[in-house]
Amino acid sequence: MDQWATLLGVVVGAVASYAASALTERTRWRRVQAERWHEKKFEVYAGYGNALKEQIWITQRIGAALGYPDVVDPLEPDEGLRLLADGEARRATLWESVLLVGDAETVAAARSWHEAIWTMMLHVRERRQDAEGWVRDSWRVSGRRDAFYVCARRELGVAGPPPPSGNWPRAWQEHDGVAP
């Protein structure tokens, strides 16, 4: 009888040890997976943001060549439009990664940001003479950028509010009452 109790104790101990070990390993695996996804999301969001920032910068430089207010470092439009096409190809490729890893709110904010940039690009593609529209669309791009980073920071678990907006053009550059 004592042998059965001893054997039962050994079996129960082995099962408990196995269960605890499996649970610990499963928890560790989930933590590692979560860290990988967190790092991947950071890379995807940062890469996408940088691609959009490049498009904005090229658009602004073309705008400077076309005489739009509040921008400097002009870039000849034909050369700039080629760079914009290359940038758009890069953005479109990175967009697929955003769709893959982003939550619905962050994806919607990213889409809104790049659509606002497309609207701004129309000024330089069509060589519009609309300084007021240029400034208005520049403010819109800045606001949409901020909304994307609010969503991305929330999803990445970055604590605290985002830094103050670096809206462009700056408030002290306001023209004819055109502001955000």
Side-chain angles (χ1 to χ4, degrees):
M1 189 73 149
D2 282 341
Q3 291 177 346
W4 286 107
T6 302
L7 183 59
L8 182 61
V10 169
V11 170
V12 169
V15 168
S17 177
Y18 173 78
S21 177
L23 183 60
T24 300
E25 188 60 28
R26 186 177 186 183
T27 301
R28 186 183 70 75
W29 183 84
R30 284 183 178 165
R31 186 176 52 250
V32 168
Q33 289 301 105
E35 288 172 7
R36 283 184 183 166
W37 275 111
H38 187 269
E39 289 173 17
K40 189 59 171 175
K41 283 183 179 190
F42 173 81
E43 291 170 11
V44 166
Y45 292 159
Y48 193 72
N50 287 332
L52 291 180
K53 193 70 175 176
E54 179 183 344
Q55 287 185 312
I56 294 166
W57 179 67
I58 293 167
T59 301
Q60 289 173 333
R61 290 186 63 205
I62 298 169
L66 296 174
Y68 290 127
D70 307 315
V71 289
V72 295
D73 196 18
L75 177 63
E76 192 273 318
D78 290 335
E79 178 185 352
L81 291 174
R82 281 190 295 276
L83 292 172
L84 275 179
D86 292 342
E88 178 58 17
R90 180 169 173 253
R91 185 215 57 82
T93 299
L94 293 170
W95 175 242
E96 298 305 315
S97 296
V98 173
L99 290 173
L100 182 64
V101 303
D103 70 2
E105 189 177 355
T106 305
V107 168
R111 178 177 284 121
S112 182
W113 186 19
H114 75 239
E115 288 173 351
I117 293 169
W118 290 344
T119 300
M120 193 173 164
M121 285 179 186
L122 288 176
H123 288 274
V124 298
R125 284 196 172 118
E126 297 173 358
R127 299 177 192 222
R128 295 178 182 172
Q129 298 299 310
D130 180 11
E132 185 176 312
W134 171 264
V135 172
R136 181 193 63 243
D137 290 339
S138 297
W139 280 101
R140 182 178 299 123
V141 165
S142 185
R144 303 285 170 82
R145 175 186 173 269
D146 290 348
F148 168 74
Y149 281 110
V150 165
C151 292
R153 287 170 58 96
R154 177 199 40 78
E155 191 177 358
L156 292 170
V158 177
S165 178
N167 283 330
W168 180 93
R170 304 292 188 234
W172 51 266
Q173 293 174 309
E174 187 177 320
H175 289 277
D176 301 324
V178 177

